[in-house]
Amino acid sequence: MKRSVIDILDLTTAEIDALLSTAEDIMDHPKEYAERCHGKKLATLFFEPSTRTRLSFEAAMYELGGNVLGFSEPNSSSASKGESMADTARVLSCYADIMAIRHPMAGAPYVAAQNASVPVINAGDGGHCHPTQTLADLLTIKRKKGTLENLTVGLCGDLKYGRTVHSLIAALARYTGTKFVLISPVELSLPSYVKREILDGQGICYRQATSLEAVLPELDILYMTRIQRERFEKPEEYERLKDSYILTADKLTKARKDLIVMHPLPRVNEISVSVDKDPRACYFLQALCGKYMRMALILKLLETADKDVEPFAPSVIFDTMQCQNPTCITAKEQELSHAFYPVNEENGIYRCVYCEEKVIR
């Protein structure tokens, strides 16, 4: 298989730093990169609605001198006829040099990467992870704060289903002195596996809170997220929680002057438009940074596209266990083999390789 980026942890810290440097160089010298992907094609396979991610990928490839093909919703693809993700990846590999995939089911880009003969970039898979948004976030922080170290980061809103949050925590946990404040309703708190395996596992300082106003004065970064209607199985649960946090200009009077306010977008009402004129608002800068980081990542993956890498080979258990996550790709594509990696073999605890759902044997 080809080198792909499915999770932010697929990139080393050194590789992330190199991508940040490349992105900043593109920002400063765009003409030098205008033909770097001449003759190359990017396939954008978007099985879920998207504006920023899809268009920024397309803009990135065009500004590198390449071309784009693909679709923006599943009804215009053979997936509506029942084609599997594996077959889609094999077919698109015949037409494109690299592909970006967004899918509502966790693990779909992983399946694609296992079957494609070109690099695959995860453009967001369900509530699982979103590595290129994290790259955009890191560039935004670097540009505004000058460093990725010794920062107190408040993550507010939907921390349970927020794939951008999961990826950002995994990335920032690698940098010295990072502290997290996890602000959410109890029902939308950060998944236990993220706390146990990343925060607790690496000895990262964090605390949980339910009040945004109470912790706002101590933050260097406030990362707001949308309460995502599409992730809820019960509409009434969404209605009850949707207005849990609303950031207004008045509330920002209690925050630091050098705070930066971030949001992966789209927003609904969790950030008032009155905040937009505040110099601390950085969410539209994030959208711009996303284009440059995707340009850098496309370049990196195409540079090594002629080399094969060993596929991820976890301790696999078939037949005896099944992932119970209804949003895992294995729940949709029944012929996929269920596969797991060990977390604690002594106690029979494993995780699905597609969605990281815990399974006890």
Side-chain angles (χ1 to χ4, degrees), residues 341-351:
Y341 65 90
V343 175
N344 186 331
E345 287 188 278
E346 184 178 345
N347 293 317
I349 300 174
Y350 295 80
R351 290 206 178 280

Side-chain angles (χ1 to χ4, degrees), residues 141 145 150-157 178-184 205-209 211-224 245 247 251-252 254-262 280:
I141 295 169
K145 305 299 284 188
N150 301 310
L151 297 169
T152 299
V153 184
L155 303 162
C156 181
T178 301
K179 299 177 182 179
F180 294 105
V181 182
L182 310 175
I183 312 154
S184 73
C205 181
Y206 75 96
R207 67 188 181 91
Q208 300 180 91
S211 170
L212 172 59
E213 289 87 340
V215 301
L216 194 54
E218 66 189 77
L219 304 179
D220 296 303
I221 298 166
L222 173 60
Y223 196 95
M224 297 293 294
Y245 301 100
L247 182 67
K251 291 177 183 177
L252 278 176
K254 299 178 181 179
R256 294 177 180 176
K257 297 299 182 184
D258 62 348
L259 173 77
I260 63 173
V261 179
M262 302 175 67
R280 292 170 288 187

Side-chain angles (χ1 to χ4, degrees), residues 123-298:
D125 60 330
H128 186 217
C129 58
H130 196 348
T132 63
Q133 178 63 52
T134 298
L135 293 174
D137 297 341
L138 295 177
L139 181 58
T140 304
I141 295 169
K142 179 94 180 310
R143 299 287 285 186
K144 298 299 291 186
K145 305 299 284 188
T147 182
L148 296 175
E149 297 183 342
N150 301 310
L151 297 169
T152 299
V153 184
L155 303 162
C156 181
D158 180 0
L159 309 189
K160 180 179 181 179
Y161 301 111
R163 58 192 175 197
T164 60
V165 168
H166 304 165
S167 292
L168 184 59
I169 288 174
L172 285 176
R174 295 172 165 187
Y175 291 90
T176 302
T178 301
K179 299 177 182 179
F180 294 105
V181 182
L182 310 175
I183 312 154
S184 73
V186 173
E187 297 90 339
L188 295 176
S189 62
L190 193 69
S192 59
Y193 80 86
V194 179
K195 286 185 280 191
R196 180 172 56 251
E197 295 172 21
I198 297 178
L199 299 178
D200 294 330
Q202 298 181 39
I204 305 300
C205 181
Y206 75 96
R207 67 188 181 91
Q208 300 180 91
T210 55
S211 170
L212 172 59
E213 289 87 340
V215 301
L216 194 54
E218 66 189 77
L219 304 179
D220 296 303
I221 298 166
L222 173 60
Y223 196 95
M224 297 293 294
T225 64
R226 174 174 61 94
I227 306 297
Q228 303 173 88
R229 181 195 299 269
E230 63 271 26
R231 306 294 176 215
F232 285 80
E233 293 183 24
K234 298 179 180 179
E236 61 273 17
E237 189 76 354
Y238 167 77
E239 291 297 326
R240 185 172 65 84
L241 296 170
K242 66 177 182 179
D243 295 328
S244 296
Y245 301 100
I246 301 175
L247 182 67
T248 63
D250 288 343
K251 291 177 183 177
L252 278 176
T253 59
K254 299 178 181 179
R256 294 177 180 176
K257 297 299 182 184
D258 62 348
L259 173 77
I260 63 173
V261 179
M262 302 175 67
H263 191 303
L265 302 177
R267 66 174 164 184
V268 181
N269 68 339
E270 60 276 4
I271 298 180
S272 167
V273 294
S274 66
V275 175
D276 295 354
K277 294 180 181 179
D278 192 302
R280 292 170 288 187
C282 295
Y283 27 91
F284 296 117
L285 173 62
Q286 277 174 271
L288 178 62
C289 287
K291 179 183 70 172
Y292 291 113
M293 286 306 291
R294 289 173 178 113
M295 291 173 76
L297 183 59
I298 288 169

Side-chain angles (χ1 to χ4, degrees), residues 51-72:
T51 302
R52 276 150 303 282
T53 303
R54 181 174 63 86
L55 295 182
S56 68
F57 264 111
E58 294 182 1
M61 194 58 169
Y62 284 131
E63 291 188 25
L64 290 169
N67 292 294
V68 179
L69 63 154
F71 54 84
S72 58

Side-chain angles (χ1 to χ4, degrees), residues 1-130:
M1 62 179 284
K2 302 301 180 183
R3 175 77 189 274
S4 296
V5 173
I6 306 304
D7 190 293
I8 194 66
L9 296 178
D10 292 337
L11 297 167
T12 66
T13 305
E15 287 176 323
I16 289 174
D17 291 339
L19 287 169
L20 291 168
S21 295
T22 299
E24 291 190 293
D25 194 56
I26 295 171
M27 295 174 82
D28 295 336
H29 309 98
K31 291 184 179 179
E32 294 183 12
Y33 292 84
E35 294 297 323
R36 292 287 183 93
C37 287
H38 178 74
K40 300 293 184 180
K41 295 184 289 295
L42 165 72
T44 53
L45 286 62
F46 277 65
F47 296 85
E48 190 176 51
S50 170
T51 302
R52 276 150 303 282
T53 303
R54 181 174 63 86
L55 295 182
S56 68
F57 264 111
E58 294 182 1
M61 194 58 169
Y62 284 131
E63 291 188 25
L64 290 169
N67 292 294
V68 179
L69 63 154
F71 54 84
S72 58
E73 56 96 24
N75 290 335
S76 61
S77 75
S78 290
S80 63
K81 303 174 184 177
E83 184 174 61
S84 70
M85 176 54 63
D87 283 359
T88 298
R90 293 188 185 102
V91 170
L92 266 293
S93 295
C94 299
Y95 309 141
D97 301 285
I98 187 170
M99 61 180 76
I101 300 176
R102 167 166 287 191
H103 202 285
M105 307 296 284
Y110 175 86
V111 174
Q114 296 293 312
N115 291 276
S117 57
V118 300
V120 173
I121 301 172
N122 181 2
D125 60 330
H128 186 217
C129 58
H130 196 348

